[in-house]
Amino acid sequence: MNPDDADAQRAGPHDTGSRGAGPPGTGPDGVTSHSSDGLEGVAALAARLARGEVTSRELVEAALGRIEATQSTLNAFRRIRPREALEEAAAADGALAAAAQAGHRPHRPLLGVPIAIKDDTDIAGLPTAFGAMGEFAPVARDSEMVRRLKAAGAIIVGKTNTPEFGQWPFTEGQAFGVTRNPWDLDHSPGGSSGGAAAAVAAGLVPGAIGSDGAGSVRIPAAWTHLVGIKPRRGRISSAPVREQFNGLTVFGPLTRTVADGALLLDALSGSLPIDRDRPPEPPETFLAAAGHPPPRLRIGLSLHRPYSGMPARLDPAVRAGVERIAEALARLGHEVIPAEPAYGLLGAIFLPRSMDGIRDWSGRVPDPSLLDARTLANARTGRLLRPLLPLARAAEPLARLNIGRIFRKVDILLAPTTATPPPRVGELNRDTNWATDQAIVAACPFAWPWNVLGWPAVNVPAGFTPAGLPVGAQLMGPATAESHLISLAAQLEASEQWQRFHPGQRVARAG
């Protein structure tokens, strides 16, 4: 990297006021500057579109311009769909004009708003490579999640980068290179939804949909100062498949505010007969839940990591951030007490399911010889452990019973999302599976148990390290806690005002 770019690269937290719209530009030193309209949220842009203050075409053109301008630095996107997105924007503008002429608000809540999805999700006309190399054929049909996004009026501008089959909490790979953290380009945004997180944190798009199989929404949200919602299993349909990664993985939104995440979650919620899990509808919309405080809650502060067989230590800066959130919750009137769930040997339930997911995806690629050696080894492990899948699934209700006993004592758990601040690029990406596993467990030992249980959790920004890198905390609950988690996160946001901070308006060229 050019040392002359260091100031632009290490932007640090900037406090923002109200921001207007405008196209991306280039400063006099050649460093890309983000236009400020990208820093407006999903709900704000939807409202501006409905009022006729801006057109969808203008927003989509600006988003595509920002993506192109930062692809050599952030490298957030694997695929971009400019022609289709602009055609869909034109159609959205027609629908917006018709609604205005009729004197009513648009019926579709995301009409005309540019959004990104992760490259593990089918959208008609584009390949789904899930971070792998090779010549993948375009898919013919949208996934159910994409169908719902489009039905709500969203304009999907592209697919964001993810490591191979979403295995790791960093977004690096032979197929696409390195995705970087907009807070400091020497650092990773995390993963596996790292491209989605980088795109939202940098203001390329106002929101994105990731997927979370072991923390893959919450971890990058923590490391890029975002809200990341992992809903309960089945809240968002997995169709056309019955479930993802044997029930470990769910889709979830990444946004700068809780209300934006709730709005996206409302648009995506719903299941089909094919879905293995079909939870009941929530008592109110998630956006409504974000609009009022929760009742007074008893919140358990949990700082002990689940057993994972490898060493990990909670970084002092992360601990300080989580404890600061605990203090903020107490100031809001909630009771905060120490509480540690009985995780036991939960990893024995996790491993067969995750490795079998790798085995499954390894069979979908056009040329398996192009896969990472670690992926091939994990696929072999998946084949060996496949006979244990029925036992792993049968053990899940007992694990829920044992761990769920904590909710007789508290309503919600507060825990670190990660054990460390954002790592440097390449720090977790080791040569062998053993070395990689040691590195990622040391950095990210806290998130994965909630994937085994299928329960909801929300990452909230928890401040910054002395070097200006973001850290996060997760609010976790039982299956029925989605609305309380969203209400609590929104209450925290109103107090903490984390949405005022962004990584600056310049991203330097990495070289």
Tab-separated table of all heavy atoms in Angstrom, residues 346-395:
chain	number	residue	atom	x	y	z
A	346	LEU	N	-21.442	-28.529	22.984
A	346	LEU	CA	-22.349	-28.215	21.882
A	346	LEU	C	-21.686	-28.394	20.522
A	346	LEU	O	-22.355	-28.641	19.515
A	346	LEU	CB	-22.863	-26.781	22.044
A	346	LEU	CG	-24.082	-26.368	21.221
A	346	LEU	CD1	-25.288	-27.207	21.586
A	346	LEU	CD2	-24.369	-24.887	21.423
A	347	GLY	N	-20.355	-28.276	20.480
A	347	GLY	CA	-19.647	-28.426	19.215
A	347	GLY	C	-19.851	-29.777	18.560
A	347	GLY	O	-19.762	-29.905	17.335
A	348	ALA	N	-20.128	-30.792	19.369
A	348	ALA	CA	-20.367	-32.123	18.796
A	348	ALA	C	-21.633	-32.156	17.960
A	348	ALA	O	-21.778	-33.001	17.068
A	348	ALA	CB	-20.454	-33.148	19.921
A	349	ILE	N	-22.569	-31.238	18.225
A	349	ILE	CA	-23.792	-31.134	17.431
A	349	ILE	C	-23.551	-30.270	16.197
A	349	ILE	O	-24.137	-30.481	15.138
A	349	ILE	CB	-24.935	-30.545	18.274
A	349	ILE	CG1	-25.154	-31.385	19.530
A	349	ILE	CG2	-26.218	-30.446	17.477
A	349	ILE	CD1	-26.202	-30.804	20.470
A	350	PHE	N	-22.664	-29.300	16.336
A	350	PHE	CA	-22.388	-28.348	15.259
A	350	PHE	C	-21.569	-28.970	14.132
A	350	PHE	O	-21.893	-28.818	12.946
A	350	PHE	CB	-21.660	-27.135	15.836
A	350	PHE	CG	-21.225	-26.125	14.816
A	350	PHE	CD1	-22.108	-25.158	14.360
A	350	PHE	CD2	-19.931	-26.127	14.313
A	350	PHE	CE1	-21.718	-24.218	13.422
A	350	PHE	CE2	-19.529	-25.204	13.371
A	350	PHE	CZ	-20.417	-24.248	12.920
A	351	LEU	N	-20.487	-29.667	14.471
A	351	LEU	CA	-19.493	-30.068	13.478
A	351	LEU	C	-20.052	-30.962	12.378
A	351	LEU	O	-19.795	-30.691	11.188
A	351	LEU	CB	-18.303	-30.736	14.172
A	351	LEU	CG	-17.057	-30.933	13.300
A	351	LEU	CD1	-16.500	-29.590	12.860
A	351	LEU	CD2	-15.992	-31.723	14.056
A	352	PRO	N	-20.793	-32.032	12.668
A	352	PRO	CA	-21.288	-32.859	11.561
A	352	PRO	C	-22.183	-32.086	10.602
A	352	PRO	O	-22.143	-32.317	9.385
A	352	PRO	CB	-22.073	-33.969	12.272
A	352	PRO	CG	-21.538	-34.005	13.655
A	352	PRO	CD	-21.177	-32.587	13.976
A	353	ARG	N	-22.969	-31.167	11.126
A	353	ARG	CA	-23.886	-30.411	10.282
A	353	ARG	C	-23.148	-29.419	9.390
A	353	ARG	O	-23.457	-29.272	8.194
A	353	ARG	CB	-24.918	-29.692	11.153
A	353	ARG	CG	-25.831	-30.672	11.870
A	353	ARG	CD	-26.512	-30.083	13.076
A	353	ARG	NE	-27.513	-29.077	12.720
A	353	ARG	CZ	-28.312	-28.503	13.610
A	353	ARG	NH1	-28.229	-28.825	14.900
A	353	ARG	NH2	-29.194	-27.598	13.227
A	354	SER	N	-22.150	-28.736	9.955
A	354	SER	CA	-21.419	-27.752	9.154
A	354	SER	C	-20.552	-28.435	8.093
A	354	SER	O	-20.518	-28.003	6.937
A	354	SER	CB	-20.560	-26.872	10.062
A	354	SER	OG	-19.563	-27.625	10.721
A	355	MET	N	-19.870	-29.518	8.470
A	355	MET	CA	-19.015	-30.202	7.504
A	355	MET	C	-19.839	-30.868	6.397
A	355	MET	O	-19.412	-30.931	5.240
A	355	MET	CB	-18.159	-31.250	8.215
A	355	MET	CG	-17.102	-30.678	9.150
A	355	MET	SD	-15.826	-29.666	8.355
A	355	MET	CE	-16.403	-28.002	8.752
A	356	ASP	N	-21.032	-31.347	6.730
A	356	ASP	CA	-21.882	-31.915	5.692
A	356	ASP	C	-22.347	-30.836	4.725
A	356	ASP	O	-22.527	-31.101	3.527
A	356	ASP	CB	-23.088	-32.606	6.321
A	356	ASP	CG	-23.974	-33.257	5.276
A	356	ASP	OD1	-23.535	-34.262	4.684
A	356	ASP	OD2	-25.085	-32.746	5.041
A	357	GLY	N	-22.541	-29.619	5.219
A	357	GLY	CA	-22.877	-28.521	4.326
A	357	GLY	C	-21.764	-28.235	3.328
A	357	GLY	O	-22.022	-27.953	2.152
A	358	ILE	N	-20.519	-28.304	3.793
A	358	ILE	CA	-19.375	-28.136	2.881
A	358	ILE	C	-19.355	-29.261	1.854
A	358	ILE	O	-19.094	-29.046	0.668
A	358	ILE	CB	-18.056	-28.092	3.671
A	358	ILE	CG1	-18.079	-26.954	4.706
A	358	ILE	CG2	-16.870	-27.940	2.727
A	358	ILE	CD1	-18.307	-25.592	4.131
A	359	ARG	N	-19.595	-30.496	2.315
A	359	ARG	CA	-19.658	-31.638	1.391
A	359	ARG	C	-20.704	-31.391	0.309
A	359	ARG	O	-20.457	-31.613	-0.886
A	359	ARG	CB	-19.995	-32.909	2.176
A	359	ARG	CG	-20.212	-34.146	1.288
A	359	ARG	CD	-21.118	-35.155	1.941
A	359	ARG	NE	-22.444	-34.625	2.237
A	359	ARG	CZ	-23.431	-34.471	1.344
A	359	ARG	NH1	-23.224	-34.811	0.074
A	359	ARG	NH2	-24.603	-33.986	1.708
A	360	ASP	N	-21.880	-30.917	0.712
A	360	ASP	CA	-22.964	-30.676	-0.230
A	360	ASP	C	-22.572	-29.628	-1.268
A	360	ASP	O	-22.724	-29.850	-2.482
A	360	ASP	CB	-24.205	-30.228	0.551
A	360	ASP	CG	-25.352	-29.835	-0.368
A	360	ASP	OD1	-25.601	-30.557	-1.348
A	360	ASP	OD2	-26.001	-28.802	-0.100
A	361	TRP	N	-22.043	-28.481	-0.816
A	361	TRP	CA	-21.681	-27.425	-1.757
A	361	TRP	C	-20.509	-27.833	-2.645
A	361	TRP	O	-20.431	-27.414	-3.811
A	361	TRP	CB	-21.369	-26.133	-1.013
A	361	TRP	CG	-22.596	-25.297	-0.805
A	361	TRP	CD1	-23.396	-25.254	0.301
A	361	TRP	CD2	-23.175	-24.403	-1.757
A	361	TRP	NE1	-24.435	-24.378	0.106
A	361	TRP	CE2	-24.331	-23.843	-1.145
A	361	TRP	CE3	-22.845	-24.011	-3.043
A	361	TRP	CZ2	-25.143	-22.917	-1.796
A	361	TRP	CZ3	-23.661	-23.084	-3.694
A	361	TRP	CH2	-24.785	-22.551	-3.069
A	362	SER	N	-19.616	-28.658	-2.134
A	362	SER	CA	-18.478	-29.099	-2.951
A	362	SER	C	-18.936	-29.917	-4.145
A	362	SER	O	-18.236	-29.977	-5.169
A	362	SER	CB	-17.507	-29.927	-2.097
A	362	SER	OG	-16.945	-29.146	-1.082
A	363	GLY	N	-20.092	-30.539	-4.033
A	363	GLY	CA	-20.629	-31.307	-5.145
A	363	GLY	C	-21.367	-30.482	-6.174
A	363	GLY	O	-21.810	-31.013	-7.198
A	364	ARG	N	-21.517	-29.189	-5.947
A	364	ARG	CA	-22.259	-28.330	-6.868
A	364	ARG	C	-21.358	-27.537	-7.813
A	364	ARG	O	-21.863	-26.846	-8.714
A	364	ARG	CB	-23.124	-27.341	-6.093
A	364	ARG	CG	-24.074	-27.968	-5.096
A	364	ARG	CD	-24.991	-26.900	-4.525
A	364	ARG	NE	-25.642	-27.296	-3.289
A	364	ARG	CZ	-26.528	-26.552	-2.643
A	364	ARG	NH1	-26.871	-25.367	-3.120
A	364	ARG	NH2	-27.058	-26.971	-1.511
A	365	VAL	N	-20.047	-27.557	-7.593
A	365	VAL	CA	-19.150	-26.703	-8.381
A	365	VAL	C	-18.819	-27.374	-9.710
A	365	VAL	O	-18.797	-28.602	-9.813
A	365	VAL	CB	-17.855	-26.391	-7.604
A	365	VAL	CG1	-18.167	-25.672	-6.301
A	365	VAL	CG2	-17.062	-27.647	-7.328
A	366	PRO	N	-18.541	-26.587	-10.751
A	366	PRO	CA	-18.232	-27.182	-12.055
A	366	PRO	C	-16.893	-27.895	-12.090
A	366	PRO	O	-16.726	-28.842	-12.860
A	366	PRO	CB	-18.258	-25.982	-13.002
A	366	PRO	CG	-18.058	-24.785	-12.137
A	366	PRO	CD	-18.663	-25.122	-10.816
A	367	ASP	N	-15.938	-27.463	-11.258
A	367	ASP	CA	-14.606	-28.083	-11.267
A	367	ASP	C	-14.084	-28.173	-9.835
A	367	ASP	O	-13.472	-27.225	-9.335
A	367	ASP	CB	-13.648	-27.260	-12.130
A	367	ASP	CG	-12.283	-27.926	-12.299
A	367	ASP	OD1	-12.045	-28.977	-11.653
A	367	ASP	OD2	-11.460	-27.393	-13.066
A	368	PRO	N	-14.295	-29.292	-9.156
A	368	PRO	CA	-13.850	-29.423	-7.761
A	368	PRO	C	-12.346	-29.261	-7.573
A	368	PRO	O	-11.900	-28.916	-6.477
A	368	PRO	CB	-14.300	-30.837	-7.380
A	368	PRO	CG	-15.422	-31.143	-8.317
A	368	PRO	CD	-15.063	-30.450	-9.594
A	369	SER	N	-11.562	-29.465	-8.630
A	369	SER	CA	-10.110	-29.330	-8.485
A	369	SER	C	-9.690	-27.893	-8.199
A	369	SER	O	-8.564	-27.649	-7.741
A	369	SER	CB	-9.407	-29.830	-9.752
A	369	SER	OG	-9.647	-28.954	-10.844
A	370	LEU	N	-10.594	-26.931	-8.451
A	370	LEU	CA	-10.279	-25.532	-8.196
A	370	LEU	C	-10.569	-25.115	-6.753
A	370	LEU	O	-10.239	-23.992	-6.367
A	370	LEU	CB	-11.077	-24.632	-9.148
A	370	LEU	CG	-10.791	-24.797	-10.639
A	370	LEU	CD1	-11.703	-23.897	-11.452
A	370	LEU	CD2	-9.327	-24.496	-10.949
A	371	LEU	N	-11.165	-25.992	-5.965
A	371	LEU	CA	-11.501	-25.642	-4.594
A	371	LEU	C	-10.256	-25.540	-3.725
A	371	LEU	O	-9.242	-26.222	-3.960
A	371	LEU	CB	-12.453	-26.686	-4.000
A	371	LEU	CG	-13.861	-26.713	-4.580
A	371	LEU	CD1	-14.636	-27.904	-4.027
A	371	LEU	CD2	-14.604	-25.414	-4.289
A	372	ASP	N	-10.338	-24.708	-2.712
A	372	ASP	CA	-9.284	-24.566	-1.713
A	372	ASP	C	-9.004	-25.940	-1.080
A	372	ASP	O	-9.929	-26.727	-0.837
A	372	ASP	CB	-9.754	-23.574	-0.650
A	372	ASP	CG	-8.668	-23.170	0.317
A	372	ASP	OD1	-8.194	-24.033	1.072
A	372	ASP	OD2	-8.317	-21.975	0.354
A	373	ALA	N	-7.734	-26.226	-0.811
A	373	ALA	CA	-7.377	-27.513	-0.205
A	373	ALA	C	-8.078	-27.714	1.129
A	373	ALA	O	-8.449	-28.838	1.497
A	373	ALA	CB	-5.864	-27.605	-0.035
A	374	ARG	N	-8.295	-26.627	1.872
A	374	ARG	CA	-8.994	-26.736	3.153
A	374	ARG	C	-10.460	-27.117	2.940
A	374	ARG	O	-11.040	-27.863	3.732
A	374	ARG	CB	-8.877	-25.424	3.930
A	374	ARG	CG	-7.457	-25.080	4.359
A	374	ARG	CD	-7.340	-23.640	4.822
A	374	ARG	NE	-7.607	-22.705	3.735
A	374	ARG	CZ	-7.585	-21.378	3.866
A	374	ARG	NH1	-7.311	-20.836	5.047
A	374	ARG	NH2	-7.816	-20.596	2.842
A	375	THR	N	-11.054	-26.603	1.872
A	375	THR	CA	-12.431	-26.966	1.546
A	375	THR	C	-12.529	-28.449	1.215
A	375	THR	O	-13.442	-29.147	1.675
A	375	THR	CB	-12.936	-26.132	0.360
A	375	THR	OG1	-12.886	-24.752	0.707
A	375	THR	CG2	-14.352	-26.506	-0.022
A	376	LEU	N	-11.606	-28.939	0.421
A	376	LEU	CA	-11.630	-30.354	0.057
A	376	LEU	C	-11.473	-31.232	1.290
A	376	LEU	O	-12.149	-32.264	1.430
A	376	LEU	CB	-10.526	-30.646	-0.956
A	376	LEU	CG	-10.707	-29.980	-2.335
A	376	LEU	CD1	-9.455	-30.170	-3.179
A	376	LEU	CD2	-11.925	-30.553	-3.054
A	377	ALA	N	-10.609	-30.821	2.212
A	377	ALA	CA	-10.437	-31.587	3.448
A	377	ALA	C	-11.716	-31.551	4.291
A	377	ALA	O	-12.129	-32.571	4.864
A	377	ALA	CB	-9.258	-31.036	4.246
A	378	ASN	N	-12.362	-30.396	4.362
A	378	ASN	CA	-13.609	-30.300	5.118
A	378	ASN	C	-14.720	-31.131	4.470
A	378	ASN	O	-15.559	-31.711	5.171
A	378	ASN	CB	-14.045	-28.842	5.246
A	378	ASN	CG	-13.225	-28.080	6.262
A	378	ASN	OD1	-12.597	-28.672	7.137
A	378	ASN	ND2	-13.219	-26.765	6.158
A	379	ALA	N	-14.727	-31.173	3.145
A	379	ALA	CA	-15.727	-32.002	2.458
A	379	ALA	C	-15.509	-33.477	2.771
A	379	ALA	O	-16.478	-34.230	2.967
A	379	ALA	CB	-15.661	-31.751	0.957
A	380	ARG	N	-14.247	-33.906	2.829
A	380	ARG	CA	-13.967	-35.299	3.205
A	380	ARG	C	-14.435	-35.573	4.633
A	380	ARG	O	-15.024	-36.620	4.922
A	380	ARG	CB	-12.472	-35.590	3.066
A	380	ARG	CG	-11.975	-35.650	1.621
A	380	ARG	CD	-10.583	-36.213	1.528
A	380	ARG	NE	-9.586	-35.366	2.160
A	380	ARG	CZ	-8.913	-34.390	1.536
A	380	ARG	NH1	-9.171	-34.146	0.248
A	380	ARG	NH2	-8.009	-33.682	2.159
A	381	THR	N	-14.182	-34.600	5.527
A	381	THR	CA	-14.659	-34.752	6.904
A	381	THR	C	-16.180	-34.835	6.937
A	381	THR	O	-16.755	-35.623	7.697
A	381	THR	CB	-14.183	-33.565	7.758
A	381	THR	OG1	-12.754	-33.522	7.746
A	381	THR	CG2	-14.672	-33.698	9.194
A	382	GLY	N	-16.834	-34.057	6.099
A	382	GLY	CA	-18.286	-34.099	6.025
A	382	GLY	C	-18.805	-35.464	5.599
A	382	GLY	O	-19.817	-35.948	6.133
A	383	ARG	N	-18.114	-36.079	4.643
A	383	ARG	CA	-18.534	-37.414	4.216
A	383	ARG	C	-18.350	-38.427	5.341
A	383	ARG	O	-19.192	-39.312	5.545
A	383	ARG	CB	-17.747	-37.838	2.971
A	383	ARG	CG	-18.190	-37.123	1.705
A	383	ARG	CD	-17.573	-37.723	0.462
A	383	ARG	NE	-16.155	-37.419	0.350
A	383	ARG	CZ	-15.672	-36.321	-0.241
A	383	ARG	NH1	-16.509	-35.409	-0.733
A	383	ARG	NH2	-14.374	-36.120	-0.326
A	384	LEU	N	-17.270	-38.295	6.106
A	384	LEU	CA	-17.021	-39.213	7.221
A	384	LEU	C	-18.043	-39.040	8.339
A	384	LEU	O	-18.468	-40.022	8.970
A	384	LEU	CB	-15.604	-38.993	7.763
A	384	LEU	CG	-14.432	-39.435	6.875
A	384	LEU	CD1	-13.108	-38.985	7.477
A	384	LEU	CD2	-14.450	-40.952	6.693
A	385	LEU	N	-18.438	-37.789	8.587
A	385	LEU	CA	-19.353	-37.513	9.702
A	385	LEU	C	-20.817	-37.608	9.315
A	385	LEU	O	-21.692	-37.546	10.200
A	385	LEU	CB	-19.072	-36.106	10.264
A	385	LEU	CG	-17.695	-35.868	10.896
A	385	LEU	CD1	-17.599	-34.445	11.413
A	385	LEU	CD2	-17.433	-36.859	12.025
A	386	ARG	N	-21.096	-37.779	8.035
A	386	ARG	CA	-22.488	-37.771	7.588
A	386	ARG	C	-23.361	-38.791	8.329
A	386	ARG	O	-24.528	-38.502	8.644
A	386	ARG	CB	-22.546	-37.997	6.077
A	386	ARG	CG	-23.942	-37.834	5.498
A	386	ARG	CD	-23.893	-37.740	3.972
A	386	ARG	NE	-25.219	-37.773	3.379
A	386	ARG	CZ	-26.071	-36.762	3.371
A	386	ARG	NH1	-25.725	-35.618	3.939
A	386	ARG	NH2	-27.258	-36.869	2.806
A	387	PRO	N	-22.875	-39.993	8.643
A	387	PRO	CA	-23.717	-40.928	9.402
A	387	PRO	C	-24.144	-40.408	10.773
A	387	PRO	O	-25.104	-40.931	11.350
A	387	PRO	CB	-22.824	-42.172	9.532
A	387	PRO	CG	-21.884	-42.098	8.379
A	387	PRO	CD	-21.611	-40.637	8.197
A	388	LEU	N	-23.439	-39.389	11.298
A	388	LEU	CA	-23.784	-38.856	12.620
A	388	LEU	C	-24.845	-37.765	12.563
A	388	LEU	O	-25.285	-37.282	13.611
A	388	LEU	CB	-22.525	-38.290	13.297
A	388	LEU	CG	-21.380	-39.273	13.542
A	388	LEU	CD1	-20.206	-38.560	14.194
A	388	LEU	CD2	-21.844	-40.445	14.396
A	389	LEU	N	-25.249	-37.364	11.348
A	389	LEU	CA	-26.224	-36.272	11.235
A	389	LEU	C	-27.525	-36.543	11.991
A	389	LEU	O	-28.013	-35.652	12.708
A	389	LEU	CB	-26.537	-35.994	9.763
A	389	LEU	CG	-25.594	-35.053	9.016
A	389	LEU	CD1	-26.026	-34.925	7.564
A	389	LEU	CD2	-25.580	-33.678	9.672
A	390	PRO	N	-28.121	-37.721	11.858
A	390	PRO	CA	-29.373	-37.941	12.618
A	390	PRO	C	-29.182	-37.779	14.124
A	390	PRO	O	-30.059	-37.220	14.805
A	390	PRO	CB	-29.763	-39.379	12.245
A	390	PRO	CG	-29.107	-39.612	10.914
A	390	PRO	CD	-27.824	-38.862	10.987
A	391	LEU	N	-28.057	-38.235	14.662
A	391	LEU	CA	-27.794	-38.075	16.091
A	391	LEU	C	-27.615	-36.605	16.445
A	391	LEU	O	-28.091	-36.143	17.489
A	391	LEU	CB	-26.550	-38.872	16.490
A	391	LEU	CG	-26.683	-40.390	16.481
A	391	LEU	CD1	-25.329	-41.044	16.765
A	391	LEU	CD2	-27.711	-40.849	17.508
A	392	ALA	N	-26.914	-35.859	15.573
A	392	ALA	CA	-26.695	-34.435	15.841
A	392	ALA	C	-28.016	-33.678	15.861
A	392	ALA	O	-28.235	-32.806	16.726
A	392	ALA	CB	-25.758	-33.843	14.784
A	393	ARG	N	-28.917	-33.985	14.927
A	393	ARG	CA	-30.205	-33.311	14.930
A	393	ARG	C	-31.063	-33.747	16.121
A	393	ARG	O	-31.772	-32.934	16.712
A	393	ARG	CB	-30.961	-33.594	13.618
A	393	ARG	CG	-30.308	-33.044	12.357
A	393	ARG	CD	-29.963	-31.569	12.450
A	393	ARG	NE	-31.100	-30.690	12.549
A	393	ARG	CZ	-31.631	-30.011	11.539
A	393	ARG	NH1	-31.142	-30.139	10.313
A	393	ARG	NH2	-32.632	-29.188	11.734
A	394	ALA	N	-30.980	-35.031	16.485
A	394	ALA	CA	-31.770	-35.527	17.610
A	394	ALA	C	-31.323	-34.915	18.928
A	394	ALA	O	-32.124	-34.796	19.863
A	394	ALA	CB	-31.680	-37.047	17.678
A	395	ALA	N	-30.044	-34.508	19.003
A	395	ALA	CA	-29.523	-33.926	20.244
A	395	ALA	C	-29.898	-32.460	20.416
A	395	ALA	O	-29.737	-31.904	21.507
A	395	ALA	CB	-28.004	-34.076	20.277
